[in-house]
Structures are given as structure tokens and as C-alpha cells.
Amino acid sequence: EVELVESGGGLVQPGGSLRLSCVASGFNFRKYDMHWVRQVTGKGLEWVSGIGTAGDTKYPGSVKDRFTISRENAKNSVYLQLNSLRVGDTAVYYCARGLREFNFYTMGVWGQGTTVTVSS
Amino acid sequence: QSALTQPASVSGSPGQSVTISCTGTSSDVGDYNLVSWYQKYSGKAPKVIIYEVTERPSGVSNRFSGSKSGNTASLTISGLQPEDEADYYCCSYASSVTLVFGGGTKVTVL
């Protein structure tokens, strides 16, 4: 069964850091592009990072220089390092996989999400 | 990069059809056939129902269909059913930010 399981969320103070992890199973991880998408409570979805099979990374301007996505194929894992966190970064963070091998632009499999709360 | 523009809500009676629009610019929706649509229930993970404007993943009901004209993509739900009541998000490749979502549309089945 194809599955993505996120972990690492929690409560952190403004300015703090957190590292989210996503472990994949049931598919050939190294052949899939991976993403992180977040949803602030009551708001819409926001794409926050993507990483290709070759390790190339992409970010929107809202998180560039604060968030870093990485992958470790040997552990079937993708990570999101969150730095300089702001109250506005409070959200559920989802890990997602490309719909097909080497397909970056459609997110076909999603985890259940991990909650990040930034508050003093 | 602004989010793509979707209506906040649409509604319809069972059996009717509803259409959700997703308006972008010539730098995203208008220039690339890389629009996808996601269905999301509260507290659940999103699910892709349309990709590359018109394609349906395996297992997705053929009551869902997608199209595009100029800078606006559309999702049509035909034969509306109670289980279609959910939030729907469009997403497009955008040359400046790679991927951008719409603000989401709540579909209500009357």
C-alpha cells in the first residue's frame, strides 16, 4: 500500500525552528518528486516546497530562505526544515508525492498531515 | 504571486451540474496545460481528481471533468451527489513560483 506518514510537528515559539519528516512506503521513492503543502486553519492550500528526483528544489517567495526541503532516498524520506518561524506559519503541513514517476506538477498521494503551531 | 481566483462557494441540487472557475494569468493557467484540481474534506488530506487540465486519475468518477479557456480553468461536477460536498482547489504551474493554488471553493449540495 502506498503511504506517506508525516511527523515532527508541534508547538514552537516565534523565531524558532522545526524539522518535519515524511516517510514513504509502497513505491519506488527515488523515482518520485515530492512536495510539502500547508493549510492554515480556515484558509486554503498553499504549496511551500518541492524537490525533484535529482534533488533540485523549488520554493515560493513566501518561504524562500526560511524553509529548506531535502530528501534521503536510502531512508525513503523527505524533510522540511522550518526556520525563523512566524505566527503566520501555523498550519497543517502535508507531504505529497507526484502522481506518476518523474511528474512534478501534480500531487497524487498525500499524507495525513502534521500540525505546526507557532505561538509564544 | 497571487493565488488563483476561485468563487468562494457554489451550490446545486442532487443530480444537477455545477461548474467551478479558476482564473489566473498568462503566466500560469493561460500558458501551461498543467492545471490540477483537488477535492478536500474537512480534516482529511486532499485528493487529486483532475490533472493536466482534463485528465482523470484512475478511480475518479467520470462525473468530474476539467476544461480550460484562456486564463480560466474550470471543473464541472455532473450528476451532483451528497458525497460531492467538499472544498475544491485548483492548482497551476506558474513560471514565477512553480506551483500556485486557488483560494478554494466550497461545494454545497442542497
Side-chain angles (χ1 to χ4, degrees):
Chain A
E1 180 189 1
V2 174
E3 190 175 26
L4 300 172
V5 179
E6 303 97 333
S7 62
L11 174 64
V12 61
Q13 291 188 338
S17 298
L18 214 52
R19 189 196 198 205
L20 308 183
S21 300
C22 171
V23 178
S25 59
F27 62 96
N28 191 340
F29 179 77
R30 63 184 64 247
K31 291 187 176 181
Y32 284 83
D33 301 312
M34 300 296 295
H35 301 269
W36 289 93
V37 175
R38 69 183 180 184
Q39 184 175 34
V40 173
T41 300
K43 302 290 187 181
L45 299 174
E46 180 186 13
W47 176 78
V48 294
S49 63
I51 185 166
T53 56
D56 47 312
T57 58
K58 302 283 187 182
Y59 308 90
S62 58
V63 307
K64 198 173 183 180
D65 299 330
R66 298 193 301 124
F67 292 6
T68 302
I69 188 172
S70 60
R71 65 189 298 158
E72 190 169 359
N73 290 339
K75 293 187 176 181
N76 287 348
S77 294
V78 61
Y79 308 99
L80 186 65
Q81 178 68 40
L82 313 173
N83 294 330
S84 302
L85 281 164
R86 306 166 180 168
V87 172
D89 295 319
T90 296
V92 176
Y93 285 74
Y94 295 98
C95 169
R97 187 203 83 175
L99 177 63
R100 300 185 301 265
E101 294 180 358
F102 310 111
N103 177 273
F104 189 88
Y105 301 109
T106 303
M107 288 158 276
V109 176
W110 296 68
Q112 286 306 303
T114 186
T115 300
V116 172
T117 303
V118 184
S119 174
S120 55
Chain B
Q1 174 74 33
S2 301
L4 307 176
T5 300
Q6 297 181 233
S9 63
V10 299
S11 61
S13 299
Q16 288 186 331
S17 293
V18 296
T19 296
I20 302 168
S21 60
C22 170
T23 301
T25 69
S26 57
S27 297
D28 40 63
V29 174
D31 210 24
Y32 306 96
N33 288 325
L34 291 171
V35 177
S36 51
W37 289 89
Y38 299 86
Q39 178 189 59
K40 189 179 187 304
Y41 296 105
S42 180
K44 301 292 187 181
K47 171 189 174 184
V48 62
I49 55 174
I50 295 289
Y51 67 100
E52 292 170 9
V53 180
T54 61
E55 302 301 306
R56 239 182 349 262
S58 174
V60 172
S61 171
N62 59 8
R63 298 186 299 103
F64 295 96
S65 62
S67 62
K68 191 183 86 167
S69 178
N71 295 338
T72 299
S74 298
L75 172 72
T76 297
I77 309 174
S78 304
L80 200 61
Q81 297 183 2
E83 59 263 34
D84 298 332
E85 190 159 291
D87 295 325
Y88 293 82
Y89 295 88
C90 62
C91 180
S92 175
Y93 172 74
S95 56
S96 58
V97 295
T98 305
L99 285 172
V100 62
F101 278 95
T105 297
K106 181 177 181 60
V107 170
T108 300
V109 181
L110 301 172

